[in-house]
Amino acid sequence: MKTVWTQKGFLIPAGALLIAILLPIFASEYALHIAVLVLLYAYLSTAWNVLGGYAGQHSLGHSLFLGIGAYTSTFLFTKIGLTPWVGMWIGALLAGLVGWFVGYLCFRYGLKGPYFALVTIAIAEAMVSLTNNINFIGGAMGLEVKWLGNSPLLMQFESKAGYYYIALVMLVIALWLVYWLSRQRFGYHLIAVRENEDAAEALGVDTLRVKIQASILSAFLTALGGTFFAQYFTYINPRNVFGEGPSIQILLFAIVGGLGTVWGPAVGALVLVPIAELARGWLGGSFAGAHLLLYGTVMVLVMLFMPKGIIGLYESIRQRLKRGSSAPEEERTPA
Amino acid sequence: MSMLTVSNLSRYFGGLAAVVDMSFTVEKGEIVGLIGPNGAGKTTVFNMLSGFIPPTSGEIIYQGRRMNGLKPHQICELGVTRTFQVVQPFPDMTVLENTMIGAYVRHPNTTDAKRKALETLERVDLDAKADKLGRDLTLLELKRLEIGKALASEPDLLLLDEAAAGLKDTEIEDILTLIRQLNREGMTLLIVEHLMKVIMNLSHRIIVLDFGKMIAEGTPQEISQHPAVLEAYLGKDE
Ligand SMILES: Nc1ncnc2c1ncn2[C@@H]1O[C@H](COP(=O)(O)OP(=O)(O)OP(=O)(O)O)[C@@H](O)[C@H]1O
Ligand SMILES: [Mg+2]
C-alpha cells in the first residue's frame, strides 16, 4: 500500500528534514543561530497562515499572541520558578482565549479585510502600552529569563543545538498539523470561507464559528512560539514581542512563500531570514533598519511579480512541465 | 401540513417595498415556480427563505419549525439549500472541492464527501472537469456547478434562482431533464425563472409577483390566462 511517506511529493520535505537533523553537526554557532531564526519564523508564520492564509483573515497584530506566550511563561518562570515547558501551555491557553475573544469581537460584527487588519494592529499596540505600564511584569524594561546554567528541563541550553532541535520539532509538528487539517473538513471550510463567505454559508458552513476556531488555533500555536522566543533571546520587552516588528515579519514570510499553502510560510522564512540576517550583519552598524528596507522591497516585488508566492510559482512551473511532457489534452476547441 | 408555509412575508429596503404581505405554501414533492418581471422581489424572497436577510415582518415555517432568525448554514442543515442568481463559486478551489463543501453537510468525513461530490458531479455533467479551478470555468460550467454544489448538500427543498438564465436551448433542455429527475426522486423545488417556457413546462404550480405583491397563483394553464399576469407582462419582451 502506498503511504504518504512513499509518495513523490514527500521526497523534498523528507530530504529537507534529514539535512535539518544533521545540520548542527557541521554548522558553526553563527550559522546555527540563523537556522534557529529560520525555524522560529517558519513556525510562527505557519501558525499565522491558519488564520491569515487559509481562512483569509489577515491579522496584522499576531505579535499579540507571541507576546502573551512569551510574557506568560517568562513571568511564571521568573516569579515562581515554573519551568517554561509548563508555562508555554498556560500561555498558549491564555492566547487561545484571547484569540477567541478577538475573533468573536471582530467576526461577530462582520469586520473584514482591511478593517479586521486595522483592529488587530490596534489591539497589539494597546498591549504594548498596557504592558509598558504594568510594573510587576517589568514595565517598559521588560523581563529577563535568568540563566541558570545548561538545563534542558528549564529550556535552557549552553549550545545553540538544543534550541535548534526544539524549534525543529515545533516546526515539524506545526507543518504536519496544517498538512493534516488541510485534508479535513475544517481545512476545506477555512478555504471556502476565504474564497466566498456567502456561498459557504449557503452550503451549511458556520462561517463565524470556522473563523473563530481558526483564530483560536492560530493564537494558541503562535503563543507556544512566543515562549520559545523568550527562552532563546532570554530577554523580552513590550515593544519587541507585542510590537509591529514580529507581526510584520510573521506575515511577510507567508506572503513571500505562498499564502494558504502548507509549505509557503516555511519556504518564505528559509529564503528571507538568512538574507535579512546577513544584510543586517553587513550593513547593520552603518545603516540601521537595512533589513526592514530589504523586507519592504522584497514584499513589493513578490506582490507584483508572483502574487501566489514561491510555492505558487513552483506549482505553475510544475504544471507547465507536466502539460508539456504528457499527451496534449482535448482543451481549447474554439466555441 | 405543508412542507413550507410562508405567511404575510414582507421586506422593505428603506422606503422601497421589495416584498409585500406574501403568503403561500409549498407541498412535499411539488415543483413550484416563482415568476415576475425584473425587480419584482423574487430573489429577495429567496434571500429571506435561506436566512440571508431577515424579513421586515411575517413568518416562515418549514416542516413545522419557525425559520425566522436562523442563519443560512442552519437552514441548509435543516434541508433547504439555495443557489444564487449570480453564480457563487469558490474560485481558487477545484470543481470537486467546490462540490465537497456541499457534500460535507451530510458527510463530515472527507472520503465520503469526496465520493458524494463525484457522484453529484456526474449528475450535473461536470465529472470530466473535476480538477479544474472554479475561476477557469465557462458560464455553462459555472451554472452547472452552482446546482451541483447545492445538490451535494442533499436538500429536501431546493431553491433555484434562475438556474437556466443565459444558457443555450440545448443546455436548458439538460437542466430541465435534471430538475424533473430530481423531482421524481422526491426532491421538492421552488424555482425562480425568467424563461416562460421553462417555468410553464416544469411547474406544478406557479406564483406570480409584481412589484413585491403576489398577483396570482395557480396551475400553468390558469396563470397563462390570468388577466393580471397578462397585464404585468404586457409590453415586456418575454
Ligand atoms: N440589498 C438590497 N438593498 C436595497 N434594495 C434591494 C436589495 N435587494 C433588492 N433590492 C431591491 O428590491 C427589489 C426587488 O429585487 P429582487 O432582486 O428581489 O428582484 P428579482 O425579482 O429577483 O429581480 P430579477 O428578475 O432582476 O432578478 C428591487 O427593486 C431591488 O432593487
Ligand atoms: Mg433575482
Side-chain angles (χ1 to χ4, degrees):
Chain A
M1 212 186 89
K2 225 178 169 188
T3 71
V4 282
W5 300 104
T6 59
Q7 279 170 26
K8 226 167 122 199
F10 267 85
L11 278 179
I12 296 175
L17 182 61
L18 190 68
I19 294 171
I21 290 171
L22 299 176
L23 188 77
I25 298 172
F26 46 81
S28 69
E29 280 286 289
Y30 179 59
L32 214 49
H33 167 65
I34 292 182
V36 171
L37 293 184
V38 168
L39 294 174
L40 171 62
Y41 280 108
Y43 171 84
L44 292 173
S45 194
T46 298
W48 178 89
N49 196 36
V50 172
L51 179 65
Y54 279 92
Q57 310 300 314
H58 298 169
S59 160
L60 295 184
H62 249 48
S63 58
L64 174 64
F65 308 118
L66 181 82
I68 290 173
Y71 263 96
T72 305
S73 61
T74 306
F75 175 76
L76 292 172
F77 179 52
T78 52
K79 301 291 155 157
I80 64 167
L82 184 71
T83 167
W85 285 115
V86 174
M88 73 192 295
W89 299 103
I90 298 173
L93 287 174
L94 208 59
L97 201 68
V98 174
W100 168 79
F101 182 69
V102 171
Y104 182 81
L105 210 67
C106 290
F107 302 135
R108 170 70 185 76
Y109 295 100
L111 282 189
K112 282 187 187 137
Y115 301 100
F116 174 68
L118 284 175
V119 169
T120 57
I121 295 179
I123 295 174
E125 268 310 303
M127 267 315 261
V128 175
S129 309
L130 190 70
T131 43
N132 263 329
N133 291 299
I134 300 179
N135 287 328
F136 71 93
I137 53 167
M141 298 293 293
L143 290 173
E144 203 166 327
V145 180
K146 263 191 245 85
W147 172 248
L148 300 175
N150 189 53
S151 167
L153 286 179
L154 295 176
M155 215 191 278
Q156 294 193 342
F157 303 90
E158 204 99 55
S159 93
K160 296 241 184 293
Y163 296 104
Y164 174 86
Y165 282 117
I166 291 176
L168 182 61
V169 168
M170 287 175 75
L171 176 61
V172 169
I173 291 174
L175 286 174
W176 175 81
L177 181 70
V178 172
Y179 173 80
W180 179 77
L181 276 180
S182 72
R183 279 157 169 68
Q184 304 297 310
R185 178 166 77 160
F186 180 62
Y188 284 104
H189 278 180
L190 290 178
I191 301 176
V193 163
R194 175 190 78 204
E195 291 292 302
N196 190 333
E197 243 183 278
D198 281 347
E201 268 286 333
L203 294 176
V205 180
D206 188 343
T207 56
L208 174 62
R209 200 178 70 180
V210 165
K211 284 189 282 187
I212 292 175
Q213 285 171 338
S215 178
I216 294 171
L217 178 60
S218 187
F220 185 92
L221 293 173
T222 303
L224 293 176
T227 295
F228 179 84
F229 184 101
Q231 292 304 115
Y232 185 66
F233 293 110
T234 69
Y235 170 69
I236 54 174
N237 68 35
R239 183 54 64 189
N240 78 10
V241 291
F242 285 117
E244 70 293 336
S247 286
I248 305 268
Q249 277 171 296
I250 288 170
L251 119 139
L252 179 73
F253 302 135
I255 290 176
V256 170
L259 288 176
T261 63
V262 177
W263 306 108
V267 170
L270 181 65
V271 171
L272 281 187
V273 172
I275 299 176
E277 281 307 309
L278 293 176
R280 201 214 295 264
W282 291 328
L283 302 167
S286 56
F287 186 10
H291 65 294
L292 292 179
L293 193 66
L294 184 83
Y295 282 151
T297 313
V298 169
M299 180 111 133
V300 170
L301 289 177
V302 166
M303 296 213 277
L304 281 177
F305 298 110
M306 37 189 231
K308 294 190 141 187
I310 297 170
I311 294 290
L313 190 70
Y314 168 79
E315 286 294 331
S316 71
I317 290 173
R318 218 180 51 153
Q319 295 279 326
R320 210 167 303 162
L321 288 178
K322 214 161 66 178
R323 212 169 301 159
S325 62
S326 67
E329 295 172 55
E330 25 105 39
E331 226 180 7
R332 304 259 177 266
T333 38
Chain B
M1 188 187 62
S2 305
M3 187 179 214
L4 181 73
T5 308
V6 172
S7 0
N8 308 106
L9 194 66
S10 299
R11 172 71 209 201
Y12 292 84
F13 293 109
L16 177 87
V19 174
V20 184
D21 203 25
M22 196 184 177
S23 299
F24 67 93
T25 60
V26 176
E27 307 301 324
K28 181 145 186 49
E30 266 191 315
I31 301 180
V32 176
L34 179 58
I35 63 170
N38 277 321
K42 306 176 296 287
T43 299
T44 305
V45 171
F46 269 28
N47 282 338
M48 289 190 278
L49 294 180
S50 57
F52 275 89
I53 61 173
T56 307
S57 61
E59 207 173 37
I60 301 165
I61 309 280
Y62 172 72
Q63 309 266 35
R65 194 183 158 150
R66 195 165 186 270
M67 303 280 263
N68 299 53
L70 293 188
K71 292 200 188 165
H73 73 265
Q74 295 170 309
I75 292 174
C76 175
E77 271 160 35
L78 288 175
V80 182
T81 308
R82 62 92 54 98
T83 66
F84 293 90
Q85 181 174 358
V86 180
V87 289
Q88 303 281 350
F90 305 108
D92 227 11
M93 297 172 97
T94 65
V95 166
L96 177 64
E97 289 166 344
N98 266 270
T99 314
M100 279 166 66
I101 298 298
Y104 273 128
V105 177
R106 311 276 171 238
H107 308 276
N109 179 290
T110 296
T111 319
D112 300 341
K114 205 169 270 181
R115 184 172 356 95
K116 175 69 197 171
L118 280 170
E119 245 172 64
T120 310
L121 286 177
E122 265 170 51
R123 295 210 69 168
V124 293
D125 208 9
L126 273 181
D127 43 329
K129 316 276 175 174
D131 294 329
K132 253 182 138 178
L133 285 182
R135 67 166 80 264
D136 295 332
L137 299 183
T138 64
L139 176 69
L140 171 63
E141 289 164 348
L142 285 168
K143 284 283 188 185
R144 288 173 187 270
L145 179 60
E146 191 66 21
I147 299 176
K149 284 187 306 172
L151 279 187
S153 71
E154 299 172 51
D156 299 315
L157 173 59
L158 178 61
L159 312 176
L160 291 178
D161 198 348
E162 311 221 1
L167 300 186
K168 297 193 208 92
D169 282 353
T170 51
E171 299 162 353
I172 291 171
E173 210 47 60
D174 285 351
I175 288 186
L176 290 186
T177 311
L178 176 65
I179 291 175
R180 268 198 211 96
Q181 210 172 348
L182 291 169
N183 182 243
R184 225 175 294 129
E185 290 162 19
M187 194 178 286
T188 310
L189 293 106
L190 179 59
I191 55 181
V192 164
E193 205 44 90
H194 257 120
L195 303 164
M196 276 308 177
K197 65 164 188 243
V198 173
I199 216 91
M200 290 295 168
N201 224 302
L202 277 179
S203 313
H204 302 134
R205 215 147 48 79
I206 295 176
I207 295 165
V208 189
L209 271 185
D210 191 26
F211 291 110
K213 292 195 186 70
M214 244 175 94
I215 57 169
E217 183 185 354
T219 63
Q221 280 82 0
E222 288 163 359
I223 290 301
S224 62
Q225 288 151 19
H226 199 292
V229 178
L230 296 176
E231 194 184 325
Y233 277 91
L234 209 66
K236 303 232 158 61
D237 33 347
E238 285 288 336

